[in-house]
Amino acid sequence: MLQNHEIALSVNNLNVYYGGFHALEDISLEIPARQITAIIGPSGCGKSTFLRCFNRMNDLVPSARVQGQVLFYGQNIYDPKINPVEVRRHIGMVFQKPNPFPKSIYENVAYGARINGYKGDMDELVERSLRAAALWDEVKDNLKKSALALSGGQQQRLCIARAIAVEPQVILMDEPASALDPIATLKIEELMQELKKDYTIVIVTHNMQQAARASDYTAMMMLSKEGSRAGTVIEYDRTDAIFTRPKDKRTEDYVTGRFG
Amino acid sequence: MNGLFANENGRFSPRLSLRLRYGRLFQLLSLAAVTLGLIVLSVLILDIILDGYKWLRPEFFSQFPSRFPEKSGLRSALQGSLWMISLTALMAFPIGVGAAIYLEEYASDNWLTRFIEINIANLAGVPSIIYGLLGLGLFVRGLELGRSVLAGSMTMALLVLPILIVSGREAIRAVPQSLRHASLALGATKWQTIQNHVLPYAMPGILTGTILAMSRAIGETAPLITIGALTYIRFDLKGPLDLFTVLPIQIFNWVSLPKAEFQQLAAAGIIVLLAVLLSLNALAIVLRNKLQIRW
Amino acid sequence: MNESQRVLSTVLRPRADHDRREKIIRAVLLLFSAVSIFTTLGIIAVLLQETILFFREVSIVEFFTETRWTPLFASKKFGVLPLVNGTVLVAAGAMFIALPLGLLAAIYLSEYASDRARKLLKPALEVLAGVPTVVYGYFALTFVTPLLQKIWPQTQAFNALSASIVMGFMILPLVASLSEDAMSAVPQSLRQAAYALGATRLEVTLRTVVPAALSGISAAFILAISRAIGETMIVAIAAGQQPKLTLNPLQSIETMTAYIVQVSLGDTPQQSIAYKTIFAVGMLLFVMTLVMNLISNWMTRRYREVYE
Ligand SMILES: Nc1ncnc2c1ncn2[C@@H]1O[C@H](COP(=O)(O)OP(=O)(O)OP(=O)(O)O)[C@@H](O)[C@H]1O
Ligand SMILES: [Mg+2]
């Protein structure tokens, strides 16, 4: 189904454990470049865990253990020679709750570029990133203002601008709109459509409409079988296929249950 | 009582009013315990002020100690305390904060970490005079620093280290995890994250803890007596290897002298000491509030 | 394929320099935490070294059974019991004040006081704990002792009782604060269960909350005793320098800590046996307080685990 696309990320036999608890079971799939891929599924099935595998944020959970491969343009990011810090610079992340640094708007955007030794014009980069995140017009007159003074929706767009500023290839989003009101949510969705021209986007969402509206591909996650607590991807296809003619009965139940 | 529960069948006799009366009595008793503590505090402060206020003249701060009460002052003690506290802070702050960072941000949950933690908890309870013996054996004699202000400060730095580490850890633990993740997700290294986000955020708490540790050091007497801080210094303190005295030792010295005037001098010295401690604590509160509103 | 080439060549290159810096920083920070271990080792080494030298000249049996302590006199006797007696006498007296009053204060703060009152009273009590001990010594000597002499004229100018009283109030906030922590950790549901059976607030407090918080309260008590044993300046100023076996608190005595101060202030030659005694006494003091601190910390950790 992905023949027409370049593959940005490719997951092979991925298993994740939290201590003795098997959280993700045997996932293999490919994420197309410059498309929006949504991950949906019931709460606790491992969506966030899966997403965090793409930029090695699971390394920060002491009990977490990841097995298998995640290839980023062919290179395994779990290769022992690879530094996770490098991975994260190229595969950015936007979190569920907006988490701006308690610094000025400007500093928030400039921070990532600074630590990564950006040599260009910082003002220009900040403006470009804020424009790309559709926030520029709202904040251009007070870039020195504390980021914490922004509204929730603005903060989330600032976090997107911050992620963009380090020029990643991929942006991971974990329910980026769940803390926002409908209007702010819509803004984020419009923004995603703009961003997909340049970036590969993987988004976790609880909101079926959002997945249906905004994504090109959808991965449906579920607990792998009755009695097990390990999550896995049970179906992965073009979004319209998932929502109109799902192959798996469980997908259909889940998708329609939310709609009807 | 019969009205509400008229069908009380006699198998219980709750005697509620009596029990409630006991309760009120006990409440008064426990309130009295708190009040008694505060009364003692007030009496202590009042007694000291009444004993000593007459001696708080400008000369008291500029004169060296002397055999004659009216010619005695705190000059060398103030210099010594200032030197001691600066050197102590200089040594204890980086080590304490560094240890706190290690334990909160780097240490994995293994035997070494647990051992360090238990060790710190126990060090906090070691009597201060034992630190004095350590300083005597290790710094005064072992490193041959003599009875210098440097030896005293090193001893004091070890003594306040547990306080600094514990308060530093608390401050660092209060930094929201989302802040670390935001930074790491941008490709910052662990140390960059700590340096740019964790430490600035935790700094008000760390500074407050540092000031409290320093107030402890300013008031400590016993370990400095043990390492041999002199009580009778009639020259200015010029360098870290000079002999020294500090405020509480000067006070102790005056308390031990039989003449009534010296006792009053001690009281005057105590007023100064308490004033210094009070300002430090006020500073800690101001600092915490100031630094916290900024963001 | 263009993109993947670019990525492969430029993107995920290992950055050895960064890695090395991170490793060095980590090592330095570990070293800083290890300072606390070196401190403990240093204490043990210094005390042990001199104590061993001391026991080459004085038998352990004499140290623990002889009833006179006169290392600074011409006829030297090295029985530590009088110093231990003085220490225990003062500490016991202090505990008579600190433990009941501290526990009552904790009960008031945790069970009776309104939030506003607690926010006011707790810091006020903590001021009491922050007063330097030399100040308490002054207060004991110049205020409490004269008061005692009015009540019991036979009270000596230096005596155990005034040191005990003042030390008791110094330690009260410690007991109150730690016990309050333990009582606040008792789950609200337990209190509600007791109330639902028709218990009054007093009964809930004494029969439910205090027993449930017992290990934390015991930890506070043990720590308080350890503090009293190690306290130096109050006894050095107010309790005297006469090591003797007595239970009369109105007399002048000497504690272990006060003895160390006495020798440190004097002009005892550093190589003399008298000088080594302070390390032997220090060792005994260290071991006594260490055991209590270990027990106390262990109990605190235990109650935290239970309620977390
Ligand atoms: N740090 C952790 N330690 C142990 N178990 C964890 C940890 N994080 C998540 N889990 C467990 O792994 C499973 C998957 O969690 P995850 O957060 O990935 O689910 P999710 O699909 O994102 O849920 P939600 O929709 O509620 O965000 C859950 O059972 C969760 O309890
Ligand atoms: Mg999630």
Side-chain angles (χ1 to χ4, degrees):
Chain A
M1 78 193 185
L2 298 172
Q3 297 90 344
N4 318 332
H5 295 292
E6 188 182 12
I7 302 302
L9 287 155
S10 137
V11 179
N12 297 330
N13 303 98
L14 186 77
N15 282 277
V16 178
Y17 301 84
Y18 290 115
F21 168 54
H22 197 172
L24 288 188
E25 189 177 306
D26 216 19
I27 298 180
S28 298
L29 55 69
E30 291 177 325
I31 306 278
R34 285 176 301 281
Q35 295 286 305
I36 299 175
T37 305
I39 301 174
I40 61 172
S43 188
C45 68
K47 302 181 295 294
S48 301
T49 303
F50 187 33
L51 195 72
R52 287 199 303 262
C53 288
F54 289 120
N55 66 342
R56 294 192 60 174
M57 286 303 267
N58 280 328
D59 290 23
L60 305 174
V61 181
S63 66
R65 198 156 41 85
V66 178
Q67 283 174 1
Q69 282 187 324
V70 176
L71 303 181
F72 177 47
Y73 291 105
Q75 191 171 14
N76 183 11
I77 63 171
Y78 284 93
D79 186 322
K81 288 201 288 291
I82 299 286
N83 190 332
V85 172
E86 269 300 290
V87 174
R88 294 182 198 127
R89 136 113 174 72
H90 294 280
I91 305 178
M93 187 167 223
V94 176
F95 297 81
Q96 179 168 359
K97 284 233 288 285
N99 55 354
F101 300 127
K103 299 181 191 294
S104 68
I105 294 169
Y106 185 98
E107 279 306 314
N108 263 276
V109 181
Y111 177 71
R114 254 199 250 290
I115 55 166
N116 284 299
Y118 181 69
K119 294 194 192 63
D121 179 353
M122 191 62 82
D123 291 351
E124 186 269 336
L125 176 71
V126 169
E127 176 172 346
R128 179 152 45 89
S129 309
L130 284 169
R131 277 189 196 284
L135 189 61
W136 175 252
D137 291 332
E138 290 158 67
V139 301
K140 62 174 183 247
D141 296 324
N142 33 21
L143 292 174
K144 294 274 168 285
K145 204 168 75 171
S146 166
L148 299 184
L150 297 174
S151 75
Q154 289 174 323
Q155 286 188 4
Q156 195 60 304
R157 275 178 284 146
L158 178 65
C159 290
I160 292 173
R162 183 175 70 182
I164 292 170
V166 293
E167 297 175 2
Q169 268 87 36
V170 181
I171 302 175
L172 310 171
M173 300 184 174
D174 193 349
E175 303 186 41
S178 68
L180 307 182
D181 64 46
I183 300 199
T185 302
L186 211 61
K187 275 217 169 107
I188 301 273
E189 285 177 21
E190 285 167 6
L191 175 57
M192 279 164 43
Q193 298 306 324
E194 277 304 306
L195 293 174
K196 87 178 222 199
K197 290 177 191 142
D198 299 309
Y199 304 95
T200 304
I201 295 176
V202 185
I203 175 173
V204 168
T205 177
H206 259 135
N207 181 333
M208 288 307 109
Q209 286 105 319
Q210 186 170 59
R213 268 196 311 262
S215 71
D216 304 299
Y217 290 85
T218 297
M220 174 70 207
M221 290 186 69
M222 277 274 174
L223 298 187
S224 63
K225 40 191 166 306
E226 286 296 316
S228 152
R229 303 242 354 257
T232 192
V233 172
I234 59 164
E235 188 167 357
Y236 179 44
D237 209 335
R238 294 200 58 88
T239 297
D240 50 11
I242 290 272
F243 281 91
T244 54
R245 39 184 198 294
K247 298 195 185 66
D248 194 299
K249 179 78 171 54
R250 291 170 294 175
T251 309
E252 186 179 346
D253 288 349
Y254 186 74
V255 169
T256 53
R258 290 299 165 101
F259 274 143
Chain B
M1 202 190 281
N2 308 353
L4 191 50
F5 296 109
N7 59 352
E8 186 72 85
N9 54 19
R11 282 188 289 132
F12 294 95
S13 66
R15 291 186 301 163
L16 192 57
S17 65
L18 182 69
R19 284 157 62 205
L20 286 175
R21 201 164 328 133
Y22 280 141
R24 272 192 298 278
L25 218 68
F26 188 79
Q27 178 172 5
L28 281 180
L29 198 67
S30 65
L31 177 59
V34 179
T35 318
L36 194 57
L38 298 181
I39 289 175
V40 169
L41 180 64
S42 325
V43 170
L44 179 145
I45 291 174
L46 207 68
D47 174 54
I48 284 165
I49 291 179
L50 288 179
D51 284 356
Y53 78 95
K54 289 190 294 289
W55 293 84
L56 290 174
R57 306 151 302 156
E59 307 91 86
F60 184 61
F61 296 89
S62 61
Q63 287 168 342
F64 288 114
S66 153
R67 278 180 297 130
F68 308 102
E70 59 285 359
K71 288 192 182 160
S72 282
L74 288 175
R75 182 181 183 125
S76 44
L78 287 171
Q79 287 174 351
S81 279
L82 199 66
W83 267 90
M84 198 260 307
I85 224 56
S86 315
L87 290 176
T88 301
L90 220 59
M91 291 181 282
F93 182 80
I95 298 179
V97 176
I101 293 173
Y102 180 81
L103 290 171
E104 282 304 313
E105 301 284 329
Y106 287 91
S108 44
D109 187 18
N110 56 23
W111 67 268
L112 180 65
T113 308
R114 272 195 299 280
F115 182 66
I116 293 178
E117 283 176 340
I118 291 176
N119 187 51
I120 289 171
N122 283 312
L123 275 180
V126 169
S128 59
I129 195 156
I130 300 286
Y131 282 94
L133 293 176
L134 170 69
L136 177 63
L138 202 61
F139 304 135
V140 176
R141 294 207 211 143
L143 297 183
E144 296 183 356
L145 295 174
R147 314 183 144 199
S148 61
V149 66
L150 181 62
S153 307
M154 288 167 92
T155 308
M156 211 52 103
L158 293 184
L159 186 130
V160 298
L161 209 50
I163 309 175
L164 265 169
I165 296 175
V166 169
S167 62
R169 287 186 70 174
E170 253 161 45
I172 291 172
R173 209 174 307 145
V175 178
Q177 201 62 21
S178 66
L179 203 63
R180 294 185 183 87
H181 286 173
S183 171
L184 291 167
L186 289 172
T189 63
K190 189 160 192 150
W191 177 245
Q192 284 171 329
T193 302
I194 292 169
Q195 200 183 11
N196 299 331
H197 303 291
V198 176
L199 280 184
Y201 195 100
M203 203 39 84
I206 292 176
L207 287 180
T208 310
T210 307
I211 291 177
L212 295 183
M214 291 308 121
S215 4
R216 169 85 191 274
I218 286 187
E220 270 296 342
T221 323
L224 297 182
I225 293 179
T226 315
I227 70 151
L230 289 183
T231 49
Y232 194 69
I233 299 257
R234 291 190 51 85
F235 46 81
D236 284 323
L237 184 47
K238 298 226 175 55
L241 292 176
D242 285 0
L243 298 175
F244 74 112
T245 186
V246 291
L247 270 176
I249 291 196
Q250 186 62 61
I251 292 165
F252 173 60
N253 179 235
W254 281 330
V255 174
S256 339
L257 297 175
K259 245 198 212 160
E261 282 96 338
F262 281 116
Q263 308 274 315
Q264 292 164 9
L265 276 180
I270 288 174
I271 296 175
V272 175
L273 179 61
L274 291 181
V276 170
L277 291 178
L278 211 64
S279 346
L280 272 178
N281 278 283
L283 180 68
I285 294 169
V286 170
L287 208 69
R288 187 164 41 190
N289 295 342
K290 256 242 165 63
L291 288 176
Q292 257 167 7
I293 354 183
R294 228 174 60 216
W295 296 115
Chain C
M1 232 43 238
N2 229 351
E3 171 127 20
S4 79
Q5 227 99 61
R6 185 172 79 81
V7 166
L8 272 178
S9 59
T10 64
V11 170
L12 296 182
R13 64 188 191 284
R15 287 204 298 202
D17 51 333
H18 252 161
D19 254 22
R20 203 170 49 242
R21 221 186 82 180
E22 293 282 315
K23 283 207 184 88
I24 293 173
I25 288 169
R26 189 196 155 98
V28 169
L29 295 177
L30 173 60
L31 200 70
F32 283 173
S33 340
V35 168
S36 68
I37 294 181
F38 299 142
T39 306
T40 305
L41 291 180
I43 290 174
I44 293 172
V46 166
L47 293 180
L48 210 57
Q49 189 190 355
E50 303 283 332
T51 305
I52 288 172
L53 291 180
F54 173 77
F55 280 121
R56 286 222 181 112
E57 297 177 50
V58 177
S59 85
I60 291 203
V61 178
E62 174 180 356
F63 189 65
F64 283 111
T65 57
E66 166 65 49
T67 56
R68 281 161 296 172
W69 178 258
T70 56
L72 305 176
F73 294 173
S75 96
K76 296 185 181 351
K77 298 282 185 218
F78 296 97
V80 79
L81 286 179
L83 294 181
V84 175
N85 176 281
T87 298
V88 172
L89 184 64
V90 173
M95 291 307 102
F96 259 108
I97 291 174
L99 300 188
L101 288 186
L103 183 58
L104 279 173
I107 288 175
Y108 183 79
L109 290 175
S110 132
E111 306 297 313
Y112 289 105
S114 67
D115 265 359
R116 258 216 356 259
R118 183 174 25 240
K119 282 214 180 77
L120 218 74
L121 290 173
K122 248 193 128 167
L125 275 183
E126 268 152 23
V127 173
L128 203 55
V131 173
T133 54
V134 69
V135 178
Y136 281 113
Y138 173 89
F139 187 62
L141 183 70
T142 67
F143 187 87
V144 178
T145 295
L147 212 64
L148 292 177
Q149 281 170 328
K150 285 211 184 86
I151 307 172
W152 298 288
Q154 75 273 31
T155 308
Q156 299 183 344
F158 300 103
N159 62 82
L161 185 58
S162 79
S164 284
I165 293 173
V166 171
M167 194 190 288
F169 281 101
M170 181 196 89
I171 293 177
L172 186 160
L174 175 92
V175 178
S177 159
L178 292 181
S179 306
E180 204 240 41
D181 287 348
M183 287 164 57
S184 312
V186 173
Q188 207 58 35
S189 59
L190 215 60
R191 290 188 182 81
Q192 280 159 3
Y195 278 123
L197 294 175
T200 65
R201 186 189 284 231
L202 172 65
E203 289 153 356
V204 171
T205 303
L206 291 188
R207 300 221 183 138
T208 307
V209 178
V210 169
L214 204 59
S215 83
I217 294 173
S218 318
F221 281 15
I222 294 171
L223 200 65
I225 298 171
S226 156
R227 272 289 284 283
I229 288 176
E231 169 47 38
T232 307
M233 293 319 292
I234 298 177
V235 286
I237 292 173
Q241 298 186 341
Q242 292 182 26
K244 62 173 105 118
L245 284 173
T246 176
L247 292 178
N248 182 351
L250 300 181
Q251 289 198 356
S252 170
I253 49 100
E254 182 162 46
T255 66
M256 297 191 279
T257 51
Y259 173 74
I260 298 175
V261 167
Q262 183 192 357
V263 174
S264 304
L265 285 173
D267 41 15
T268 318
Q270 295 214 348
Q271 297 313 317
S272 68
I273 177 77
Y275 202 78
K276 294 191 181 81
T277 55
I278 64 173
F279 290 93
V281 171
M283 187 66 161
L284 183 60
L285 178 66
F286 177 67
V287 171
M288 285 167 73
T289 51
L290 181 70
V291 169
M292 284 188 237
N293 295 342
L294 281 171
I295 296 175
S296 169
N297 287 332
W298 175 73
M299 291 175 107
T300 311
R301 263 201 309 283
R302 218 183 44 169
Y303 93 74
R304 291 226 173 104
E305 273 161 22
V306 170
Y307 292 122
E308 250 161 31

